[in-house]
Every structure is written in structure tokens, then in C-alpha cells.
Amino acid sequence: MDGSAAKYPHVEVDPSSLGNGHSITESDWTCLHPYYIVSRGVWDVLPVTVFSFTVMGLQILMICILIQFVTFLLKPLRQPHIVSQVIAGMIIGPPVLGKFVELRVIVFPIRSQLTIINTAMMGFTIFQFLVGVRMDPTMIFSCGRQALAIGSLSFVIPATLATTASVIYAYLLHLKIGLTHMLILVGAAQSMTTFPAVASMLSELKIRNSELGRLAMSSAMIGDQSYSILSLVSANWKLNQHGLHSDAIYAMVLGIAYVAVIAFIVRPVFIWIIKRTPDGEPVKEMYITLILLAALASGFISIAIGQNAYFGPFILGLAVPDGPPLGTTLVNKLDPIVSGLLMPMFIALCGLDMDFNIIHFHVLKVVAIIIAVCLVGKIAGVLLIALYCRIPFRESLSLSFIMCGKGAIELAVYHFWLHTKIIDRGTFTVMLTSVAVVTGATNSIVRLLYDPSKKYAGYIKRTIQHARKKGGLRILTCVHEEEEVPSLIKLLEVSNPTRESPLYIHVVHLIELVGREAPVLANHYMWKKKSSKATASGSIVNIFRRLNHQNQGVLSVQAFTTICPYETMHEDVCMLALDKGTSLIVIPFHKRWTADGAIASTKPALRTLNSNVLERAPCSVAIFADREIIMSGGIGIPPNNSFHVALLFLGGADDREALAYAQRMATDSGIKLRVVRLVAADDPNVDEWQKVLDDEALKIFQLQTYLNGNVLYAEIVTKDLEQTTAIIRSLENWNNLIIVGRRHGVPSPITAGFSAQTECPELGAMGDLLTSSTFQSRLSILVVQQQIVRTD
């Protein structure tokens, strides 16, 4: 368009009418001047606010800045992101920004609202599709009785109470039929528990793969079906409101037919795409593009058959097999822009429809009472059911508050009801506010009530040093990749499993949770035949299944797979270690080396996992840094077919634990063990009690091994850093494995120089030196930490 400001005035309405909270969708007639598209910049006679792209960019920028600002303010309170987004929406809407008419005319003029809201709604449509992709519908059939009872009754009990309260209020206050129906729907919406809301809360609390988190996810999967039912009911009630009874029946039938088409026609297509994708190869961009277009088209189809625009994408997403390769690829490509920009924008823009000034007191009172009845009913119902299932009280109470959490799905339902005249703006404002209040409060309460780390904190000694010598040794080993398996098996073999003292090995394959919402902890039964399916854990499990079969009587293996976020993966590891009564957890180092000794890869997420396990494990922990298998193609065997192990003993609980493990290895005639005790020439801060314990442990070790010609013991006084380094270097060419204690919290003059330039403090000073880039060695390193026993 061409013209001047005089010819094309840019003031579309009287500014005094703005800021009253009314949105463009509430007027039957609105005269708006069309936007200009292209600007000539600062030389244009028109202000930049009359150009659509400029205004939209300004709006997105303002929304993002507000959300980040509110998030920063609420960070000390550790509130979930949705609370910050709702509060940002309140600031954008009539409660705050709407009071400044001139500012609102510039940033959020009426004619710009349709563009920005439709963009946000498109983002929510894709979000609903991704929600379906992340969900695993088969979980419904595998949920236990506890989850089935909690999930179903967590909706039925509060919905029944809310419906009863609505009918009683309608009778006592002589409410209109339409208002009564609205209150019933409000009660139903407050009673539902959506899977994404629970998953988001558990993720914020970092307890998604705890026992309580798994139960909450399974229960939410059951309760989430209430949302689908509520969507169908509300869409059909909208048609019945206008007297279109036959159309309501057609919409219901077509909705069921749509689900059938997706299940029996579209899902096989997705499976066909997965089969055409080679293992380890990415899904073709053409398929991803077509699926994204299908997700957008499904929203149009949903509207065409009488449902809301979010019903179709959600059902389509459920048809996508979760996890790699297809589900993971879709989530990785679409989630950053949807969850990072479009969804926060959608939630914040809901604030444009909020207005506290038009809330009538009697409506506020009735709606607030219905919401309170739903909350009390849900908390009491879930609590009683959980207690009946013999879940401890604090966990039962925590679960009841988790099931009260709200999220983006609920906001979308309220937004849909507002614009289809099912609820009014006052009710919408109250319900939107309740989402922020309830979610924020429940989040804080659960943080106070539930701490999963206390469950597997060690109060009983579970160490190698204190384990019964003839009772066997229980070890939990963690595996990330198949390349780590041979070296771990070799470490287990040199741990000397015998019929008198067998090894009970629990192997956990750790997989990062991507492309799905619910974490998985799967048990692989070793008596089953070799799996023919090419799965992420199949080859690893088959290797240990063969190991178990070949070493019956001296070695017993049980395999697990955990799929969860790296930041909470330690919970599964610690929980399994506690449940299986293990004395040692073996976890791989986060660095990998190439054949020439250079560092090939470093995974910070694995380093964080290792640190969390060291801090919270209910038993001893060993970090295994393997160089030998990579640099020589396999753990080397010297000419005499013996395996050489060296132990550096400086003193402390960790070193005594390492000594106990090395002593077990030395009972094997094929193991050559060299124990070197390093004593500082001058140590003014020596702990006399620890020294007594060290001397006692070494005395017992020497008495039990003095007839063993494969064990050598030496005690060396070191004067400086150079001498200590020289001693370590002397062990390099004669050993396959060197064992050191982490020496957590134990200072020593011997390691003072090493501690000054620590790269990996989780290994301790000595372990950090042996794995550093300056120490070019073929040695494999095992860093041992004895169990930290709590005394509180």
C-alpha cells in the first residue's frame, strides 16, 4: 500500500475505549484499518507501529522479556514456569498494562490481537501434537491397581462433589440453567488431572523417575482420559446450546471415526516410516515435514467435524510411536521453538482476556467454592486411596498435591470455553488465577513434604570392607554405551567370583529420556532366550545374558534399563542399589580416549550423574576410567597370562575400601597385586584415629596375604610432589589397573600439589592426576569412595 499518514490514518478506535479489557473477539462489529506490511524505516512518514511485522516482533519481545523478568523474581521461591507465564499474562492484560491506554495502543492495539493470538494458538496446536507423541498409550494397560484406582477416582470423587455442590447452589440461589451448567463444567475442569501438567511438575521438582513420580505419572495417564472425554462433551454441548442436536450427534460419531482412522490407517504409516529408517540414521526431512503438515491439518479437520482444534493433533500424536527414531526426532526438532517461545506466548496472551474489574462477587464466591470443593475432594480422595494402598503418609499426601497440579492444557480448555461463550470473562479470570495459585502452592508443598534422597540414604554400612567374606559380593554396574561392556566385564572377572564367594551383578543400561514424557525402568529376565529385536538395550543385555549362562554358580546377573533425564538418573541408580542391597556401584568415567591417548569425547551430563551418585549412594561407589581397552583393542594380558593391579594407599576410609576390593581380587591366582603405601615425610594435620584404622586394616591385609606370592607390599616415604609423581610413573608399565581412593574430605601433603589444579574434583586429587591430559598412560583407573553413612 502507498499513501501518507493523512490519507491513511492509523488510529482505528477511540483510545478511551481501550484498556477496558474487551477483546476483539467479543464484538460483532469492529471497524479496523488494515496493517501496512513493508516499512521504509526511519524515513517513513508512518510510525513503525502501523506495520504488522514490527508490532508482532515488539509484542513477542515484550512477552519474552516479561516472562524472564517474572521468572527471575520468582526464582528464590522455586516456582514452576507456568506461574511466571500466567503472571506475565496478567501484566500484559487489563489488570496492569490495560490501565495505561497509550502504551496499550502502541504495543497491543486491537487490530494486532488476532495475528498474535492465532500464532500462539498454532503453537499450542503443535504442542498438543507433541504431548501425544511423548505419551505412551500402552502404559494404560500396564498400570498397576494403585495407579488405576488413584487415576480414576482422582477425577470421579472431586467431579461428583463439585456436581453435587453446583446443583445445591443452583437450587438454593435460584441460578439460571446456563450458569448451573457452567458451574458443572468448571467443577469437571478443576477435577481433571492432565498428564502433561503432572509430568511438568515432576520435572520441575526433579522427581519424575522416583517411585512417587512413577506412580503419579501412571495415575495421571489414567486420569488424563477425563480430558479427552471433557473435550468431546464441551464441544457437543456447544452445539446443543444452539439447538443443533443432530449436529452434536454427528460430531460425536465423526470424532470416534477420526480416532479409528488415526489408529488403524495413520499409525501403520508411522510404523512403516520407522521400518524404512536404517538403524542409527536420522529420519528423512521429507517425513518430518509431512507429519508436521498433517498435525496442522488435523486441527482443521477437528474443527470441521465439530471438535476443538486441539483434539485432532493430540490423537495424531498418540499414533506416533514414542522414543527413537521418529518420536525423538519430532520432539528434538519441534519442541525448542514450541516450548521455548510459542507456548509461553500462548499462556501469557491468555492474560489479554482477564479482567478483575468485571468479576461479580456472587459469581466469584460460587466459582471459588466449587474450585475449593474440587481441591479438597481430590486431596482427600487421593490421600485415602494411597493410604489404603499402604503408601506412607508423607508420600500419600505429596501424591495428592501432585495430582492437583494444573498446566497449559487446562488453560487451553478455559480459553476455548471463553471464546465459545460457555463461561464468561469473570469466571475465566478466576479460573486462570486459580491455575497460578494452585500450581504454585502445590509445588511448594511437595518440595517440603517429599525428598527422595532420604529414602536411599545410607544408615547401615553397605561396603566391601564390612561385607561378609563368604557371603558373596553384590555390585551394581552402569553402562551407557555398548563399547563400555568389555572393560566392565573384565573388571568383574578380576573381582574373583567363586562358588564360596559369588558375584551378584546388577547391570543398568542408562538411556537419556528423549521423545517421551514417562520415564521407564525395565527389568530384563536373564532366563529368557536371546532377544531378536534390535533395541537400544538388546545387544547389551544379550552380552550379559551370555555371561550369566557361562558362569553359573559363581556369577549371577540381573539386567535393567532406565530411560530418564540425566539430571535425575542418579535416583534410579541409588534406588536399585538400595533395593538390591549392593555393596558397590561401578559407574563409567565421563571421558573417553582415542587410540593415541587423546580425549575423544566428554559428556558433562555423565559427569553430573557421577557426582550425584557419589553424593547420595547408599553404598560404596567406584568410578571406572578405562584407557586400556581403547588404546590396545582389549585389556592387555601380560606374557604370563596374569593381570596386574596396583593400589596406592594414602590412608582414610576410601583407601581402606579400595584395599578391601584389591584384597578380594588378589585371592585369584591369576592376579598380581602390588600395594604401595605412601607416607608423608611431614604431616602436621594427621588424624590419629584414622591412622590407627589404617594401620589396623593394613595389618589384617598383610596377615591374610603373607603366604600369597602374588601380593607385594611396599611402604614409601615421599618428600615432595616430584617424588610422588615418580612413584606413580614407576607403576605405569607393569600394571593393567591402578586403584586409588577418592579420599573425600581428607587433606594430605602428598596430594596438596595435585589439588591446586584439579580438573575433575569428583575423582579426588590422585584420581584426577591419573586421568588428566598431562598423564599419558595406558593404565585403567578405578577411583573408590566408601559409603558415606549419615548420622543425622
Side-chain angles (χ1 to χ4, degrees):
M1 291 185 181
D2 296 322
S4 64
K7 187 176 181 181
Y8 299 109
H10 59 273
V11 178
E12 66 269 24
V13 292
D14 181 6
S16 62
S17 66
L18 297 177
N20 57 11
H22 296 290
S23 67
I24 190 172
T25 56
E26 291 192 349
S27 301
D28 295 328
W29 295 93
T30 304
C31 297
L32 300 175
H33 188 274
Y35 265 120
Y36 298 98
I37 305 299
V38 181
S39 169
R40 295 196 298 269
V42 295
W43 295 276
D44 205 316
V45 295
L46 297 176
V48 294
T49 53
V50 302
F51 297 94
S52 58
F53 182 77
T54 305
V55 173
M56 185 175 179
L58 180 62
Q59 292 170 343
I60 293 175
L61 181 63
M62 182 175 182
I63 291 171
C64 292
I65 291 175
L66 273 176
I67 291 175
Q68 294 301 319
F69 178 70
V70 177
T71 301
F72 173 77
L73 293 179
L74 296 181
K75 188 175 182 179
L77 301 178
R78 304 172 72 182
Q79 289 298 301
H81 292 303
I82 191 171
V83 175
S84 303
Q85 293 161 3
V86 171
I87 293 176
M90 293 180 182
I91 296 174
I92 293 171
V96 180
L97 182 61
K99 298 183 181 299
F100 302 93
V101 178
E102 294 78 6
L103 181 60
R104 180 165 178 140
V105 168
I106 295 174
V107 182
F108 283 98
I110 289 181
R111 60 180 175 177
S112 72
Q113 292 182 20
L114 284 179
T115 303
I116 190 70
I117 290 177
N118 284 334
T119 302
M121 291 180 68
M122 182 182 70
F124 185 79
T125 301
I126 303 174
F127 170 78
Q128 274 290 80
F129 169 70
L130 293 178
V131 167
V133 171
R134 288 190 177 100
M135 290 179 66
D136 182 8
T138 59
M139 282 183 59
I140 297 176
F141 306 104
S142 60
C143 291
R145 294 182 179 179
Q146 290 182 351
L148 184 63
I150 293 171
S152 56
L153 295 180
S154 66
F155 174 76
V156 172
I157 292 177
T160 302
L161 292 176
T163 302
T164 304
S166 300
V167 172
I168 293 175
Y169 264 104
Y171 176 78
L172 295 178
L173 302 179
H174 305 288
L175 300 179
K176 297 180 181 179
I177 298 297
L179 183 57
T180 303
H181 290 168
M182 182 189 73
L183 291 178
I184 293 175
L185 281 179
V186 168
Q190 289 292 321
S191 302
M192 70 180 185
T193 301
T194 58
F195 182 81
V198 171
S200 177
M201 175 178 286
L202 295 174
S203 181
E204 297 264 1
L205 296 170
K206 297 182 180 181
I207 58 172
R208 186 156 48 166
N209 57 319
S210 63
E211 287 187 90
L212 182 66
R214 294 179 190 279
L215 178 58
M217 295 279 276
S218 300
S219 303
M221 180 71 74
I222 301 296
D224 194 78
Q225 307 313 306
S226 61
Y227 163 69
S228 301
I229 297 172
L230 195 61
S231 296
L232 289 171
V233 170
S234 61
N236 284 272
W237 186 53
K238 176 187 66 174
L239 295 174
N240 277 305
Q241 268 190 317
H242 296 85
L244 304 175
H245 305 301
S246 60
D247 289 352
I249 297 175
Y250 293 148
M252 181 70 73
V253 172
L254 289 175
I256 297 174
Y258 174 82
V259 174
V261 169
I262 295 296
F264 298 107
I265 297 179
V266 178
R267 181 173 172 82
V269 174
F270 292 148
I271 296 174
W272 175 81
I273 292 175
I274 293 175
K275 290 181 178 179
R276 285 183 59 88
T277 303
D279 291 339
E281 296 291 328
V283 181
K284 291 183 179 179
E285 290 289 339
M286 178 184 67
Y287 295 145
I288 300 300
T289 303
L290 291 176
I291 293 174
L292 178 58
L293 292 175
L296 296 175
S298 62
F300 168 77
I301 295 173
S302 296
I303 297 174
I305 63 177
Q307 305 299 328
N308 63 58
Y310 315 131
F311 174 77
F314 173 70
I315 299 299
L316 180 66
L318 285 177
V320 178
D322 65 319
L326 187 56
T328 301
T329 303
L330 287 169
V331 172
N332 286 340
K333 288 184 175 292
L334 300 179
D335 190 62
I337 186 67
V338 173
S339 298
L341 177 64
L342 297 179
M343 274 308 298
M345 191 167 66
F346 171 80
I347 296 173
L349 286 173
C350 288
L352 290 175
D353 294 310
M354 297 180 66
D355 192 352
F356 292 97
N357 296 324
I358 64 173
I359 298 177
H360 299 290
F361 177 75
H362 70 281
V363 174
L364 171 63
K365 180 178 68 175
V366 173
V367 173
I369 290 176
I370 296 299
I371 293 175
V373 168
C374 290
L375 286 175
V376 173
K378 186 180 286 288
I379 293 173
V382 174
L383 178 62
L384 293 176
I385 298 167
L387 291 175
Y388 178 79
C389 296
R390 298 182 179 179
I391 299 175
F393 177 77
R394 288 178 70 92
E395 294 187 17
S396 299
L397 188 59
S398 300
L399 179 62
S400 64
F401 280 106
I402 289 173
M403 297 297 286
C404 292
K406 303 298 179 184
I409 303 294
E410 288 84 352
L411 292 181
V413 171
Y414 306 156
H415 188 265
F416 173 75
W417 287 354
L418 173 66
H419 291 283
T420 52
K421 309 297 183 181
I422 294 177
I423 61 176
D424 56 27
R425 287 170 56 80
T427 304
F428 174 80
T429 303
V430 175
M431 296 178 72
L432 199 65
T433 305
S434 72
V435 169
V437 174
V438 170
T439 304
T442 54
N443 185 283
S444 300
I445 292 173
V446 174
R447 287 186 188 276
L448 293 174
L449 289 175
Y450 184 68
D451 181 6
S453 64
K454 292 182 179 179
K455 191 164 188 175
Y456 44 72
Y459 293 92
I460 301 174
K461 289 184 178 181
R462 295 185 177 91
T463 68
I464 302 175
Q465 183 184 4
H466 300 92
R468 293 190 305 164
K469 303 303 180 185
K470 300 296 183 181
L473 179 63
R474 297 181 178 273
I475 299 178
L476 187 145
T477 64
C478 301
V479 180
H480 298 288
E481 300 173 356
E482 188 175 350
E483 290 79 5
E484 301 166 351
V485 173
S487 58
L488 283 173
I489 289 179
K490 186 61 182 180
L491 178 65
L492 296 173
E493 289 176 350
V494 300
S495 299
N496 191 23
T498 63
R499 292 189 179 274
E500 294 76 18
S501 182
L503 282 183
Y504 301 96
I505 303 168
H506 307 280
V507 182
V508 188
H509 184 202
L510 307 176
I511 303 176
E512 183 182 11
L513 180 67
V514 179
R516 60 182 297 150
E517 233 15 295
V520 173
L521 180 59
N523 187 354
H524 303 280
Y525 299 99
M526 307 310 289
W527 48 263
K528 289 187 175 181
K529 294 182 179 180
K530 180 179 178 180
S531 175
S532 59
K533 295 183 179 180
T535 62
S537 298
S539 58
I540 294 176
V541 173
N542 287 333
I543 293 173
F544 281 98
R545 183 178 283 118
R546 184 168 60 251
L547 179 69
N548 182 71
H549 178 73
Q550 295 173 349
N551 297 273
Q552 292 184 2
V554 299
L555 189 146
S556 177
V557 181
Q558 188 176 12
F560 301 87
T561 294
T562 178
I563 307 176
C564 58
Y566 274 126
E567 61 183 5
T568 57
M569 196 173 282
H570 62 279
E571 292 179 3
D572 275 356
V573 175
C574 295
M575 184 175 63
L576 276 173
L578 178 66
D579 183 57
K580 302 303 178 182
T582 61
S583 298
L584 180 68
I585 298 173
V586 180
I587 48 180
F589 190 44
H590 70 276
K591 292 182 181 180
R592 294 181 64 85
W593 289 271
T594 59
D596 60 357
I599 295 176
S601 62
T602 301
K603 297 183 178 180
L606 302 187
R607 181 179 181 179
T608 302
L609 167 64
N610 292 350
S611 298
N612 289 335
V613 173
L614 287 168
E615 181 182 352
R616 306 188 182 190
C619 61
S620 297
V621 182
I623 297 181
F624 185 39
D626 175 53
R627 281 176 164 175
E628 186 78 17
I629 190 169
I630 295 174
M631 299 178 68
S632 63
I635 289 188
I637 302 296
N640 58 357
N641 293 326
S642 60
F643 189 87
H644 289 238
V645 179
L647 170 66
L648 289 174
F649 189 94
L650 281 72
D654 296 344
D655 284 40
R656 294 193 293 271
E657 184 74 0
L659 180 67
Y661 192 24
Q663 182 176 346
R664 179 186 173 90
M665 292 180 178
T667 55
D668 186 344
S669 59
I671 303 296
K672 303 291 185 179
L673 175 62
R674 179 178 297 181
V675 178
V676 179
R677 183 183 189 183
L678 300 179
V679 181
D682 182 19
D683 187 0
N685 299 319
V686 64
D687 188 326
E688 294 297 337
W689 174 244
Q690 290 296 322
K691 188 176 184 300
V692 170
L693 295 177
D694 294 339
D695 293 339
E696 182 68 20
L698 287 169
K699 181 179 179 181
I700 294 174
F701 169 78
Q702 290 175 322
L703 286 174
Q704 293 178 350
T705 61
Y706 79 98
L707 294 177
N708 190 341
N710 292 330
V711 177
L712 297 177
Y713 174 79
E715 187 169 312
I716 303 175
V717 177
T718 63
K719 298 179 180 179
D720 50 34
L721 184 63
E722 289 74 13
Q723 187 177 359
T724 303
T725 305
I727 295 171
I728 297 174
R729 288 290 185 185
S730 67
L731 302 173
E732 179 180 352
N733 297 324
W734 299 99
N735 294 284
N736 303 97
L737 174 69
I738 185 167
I739 305 175
V740 297
R742 186 187 176 208
R743 294 180 53 79
H744 178 62
V746 182
S748 171
I750 299 175
T751 60
F754 301 151
S755 304
Q757 298 179 343
T758 302
E759 295 179 10
C760 302
E762 71 273 14
L763 297 180
M766 194 66 73
D768 179 69
L769 169 69
L770 293 170
T771 57
S772 65
S773 56
T774 59
F775 194 83
Q776 296 295 327
S777 171
R778 299 168 65 89
L779 280 172
S780 293
I781 315 300
L782 189 70
V783 180
V784 179
Q785 173 187 279
Q786 193 175 71
Q787 175 199 13
I788 301 174
V789 180
R790 292 192 177 183
T791 58
D792 53 343

